[in-house]
Amino acid sequence: MKAILKYGIFALTIMFLFQACSKEYSYETGKGYSGVAIGTLQDSTGNCQNVFVNGTYVVDSVLTDSNYIVVTVNIISPGKYYIFTDTANGFWFADSSIVLSTGTQNIKLKGYGKPILPVDANFVITFGSSACQFTIPYNTAVIGNYFPTTAGSYWTYNDSQLNDTITTHALSVLANVANTGQTYAVFVDRLGDTSLYRRSGNTYYTYGSIYPDPSVQPVEYAFLKAGVPAGTSWDSPIVSVVVSNQNIKVKYHFTLLGSGLTASYNGNNFTNVIKVQLDIQALVPPAINYATAQTSYFYYAEGIGLIAIEVPGSTTVMPYNSTLAQWHVN
């Protein structure tokens, strides 16, 4: 959660990547609509692209139309394609059709078969000679995407602090962070602020600074958990900071307040909304318990992402709102 901004309030602007991928470009041969599509599963830097998993996977239950994956591919030349996975634990995914345009494409692969054993299934996706890996945990219902990070997507918010709009873009590049060993989608806004995000199953992570001080090292933490009961809470890692020559500890405390909600902002009606409360907490000696310094509320809509941030006013914090006005998710 990238910190807060130059105006003094905390703002959250995240994916999901099931990734472990090869680094070379590969593609099929042939060209033209009557030929075989030329393309790759990797982006321009050689990193595997997003894989979105949908559905519930249970032993001895035949996969249905709700069991599918969506892969992101880079089409170099249009034509016929066949994209498929190997068979893992009794089931697999595949799709064949014709792609008519070049560039980044999201392609849905239908699931076949049924899980045999109560174990995780590790897959290799193949498109021509390019290949990437992802895992489906056993008996995990990977529900809709509440924080898309697809390259080329954007979200424009009405920002009460700026008294203007601000747009966040999902870039086509990915960031590999040595500290975590993870790969993140990169977001940037018109102020030049960047944020890093990834998704694992139904949990969404960001990598950034908890406290706006360059001496404090960034950390990874979960900012959203979908599919958990209302009242579920979790914490970020704790960081130590120096304020007015005093050592204090700071953490983010999250609570999921509700799922399946509805919300309306700027004339847009949203369904399947998750509401998350963020308490910024500090431990200031000689106290032995963390105290909440600021509370914010974040709203996420399925298939869209962050739709609103609300910060109630207090004696020390000005009220703040950021609400989604326009968006495009690839």
Side-chain angles (χ1 to χ4, degrees), residues 262-279:
T262 59
S264 297
Y265 297 104
N266 304 307
N268 300 306
N269 298 318
F270 302 96
T271 59
N272 293 329
V273 173
I274 294 177
K275 181 179 181 180
V276 176
Q277 177 176 321
L278 164 61
D279 295 313

Side-chain angles (χ1 to χ4, degrees), residues 13-25:
T13 30
I14 178 189
M15 159 189 139
F16 149 55
L17 294 170
F18 287 116
Q19 304 212 68
C21 50
S22 53
K23 293 289 182 181
E24 71 278 359
Y25 289 103

Side-chain angles (χ1 to χ4, degrees), residues 15-257:
M15 159 189 139
F16 149 55
L17 294 170
F18 287 116
Q19 304 212 68
C21 50
S22 53
K23 293 289 182 181
E24 71 278 359
Y25 289 103
S26 348
Y27 51 84
E28 298 183 77
T29 59
K31 59 183 179 179
Y33 300 139
S34 60
V36 178
I38 298 174
T40 176
L41 293 167
Q42 286 105 16
D43 62 18
S44 60
T45 62
N47 290 301
C48 290
Q49 303 189 88
N50 298 359
V51 177
F52 168 71
V53 182
N54 192 81
T56 304
Y57 299 84
V58 182
V59 166
D60 208 34
S61 293
V62 176
L63 301 192
T64 68
D65 288 343
S66 66
N67 297 106
Y68 61 85
I69 63 174
V70 178
V71 299
T72 301
V73 300
N74 182 25
I75 301 297
I76 300 170
S77 179
K80 302 174 184 177
Y81 68 83
Y82 177 50
I83 303 175
F84 62 96
T85 70
D86 56 349
T87 298
N89 193 29
F91 62 104
W92 69 97
F93 301 87
D95 182 68
S96 61
S97 187
I98 297 175
V99 63
L100 302 178
S101 59
T102 60
T104 301
Q105 309 277 344
N106 292 320
I107 297 179
K108 179 178 176 179
L109 278 60
K110 178 177 170 54
Y112 300 90
K114 60 183 179 181
I116 299 172
L117 300 172
V119 297
D120 294 350
N122 301 308
F123 291 95
V124 175
I125 313 170
T126 300
F127 177 28
S129 56
S130 65
C132 290
Q133 300 176 356
F134 71 100
T135 298
I136 298 180
Y138 169 69
N139 200 17
T140 297
V142 181
I143 60 179
N145 195 346
Y146 284 84
F147 201 91
T149 58
T150 317
S153 301
Y154 67 83
W155 300 262
T156 299
Y157 300 89
N158 288 331
D159 189 290
S160 67
Q161 191 76 21
L162 292 174
N163 196 26
D164 197 358
T165 61
I166 185 167
T167 300
T168 298
H169 295 269
L171 303 184
S172 59
V173 298
L174 299 175
N176 297 304
V177 177
N179 289 351
T180 64
Q182 301 292 342
T183 302
Y184 300 85
V186 180
F187 281 27
V188 65
D189 63 32
R190 67 176 174 84
L191 302 175
D193 290 314
T194 58
S195 305
L196 305 182
Y197 302 105
R198 74 178 183 91
R199 177 185 179 187
S200 178
N202 294 323
T203 302
Y204 301 78
Y205 297 88
T206 185
Y207 179 79
S209 179
I210 286 180
Y211 188 80
D213 184 326
S215 65
V216 178
Q217 294 298 310
V219 295
E220 180 186 78
Y221 57 92
F223 66 90
L224 173 61
K225 294 186 178 184
V228 298
T232 299
S233 62
W234 65 95
D235 290 337
S236 73
I238 297 169
V239 299
S240 297
V241 302
V242 178
V243 179
S244 300
N245 296 318
Q246 186 173 21
N247 292 315
I248 67 173
K249 294 181 178 179
V250 177
K251 68 175 181 178
Y252 289 168
H253 179 74
F254 296 89
T255 304
L256 189 139
L257 298 181

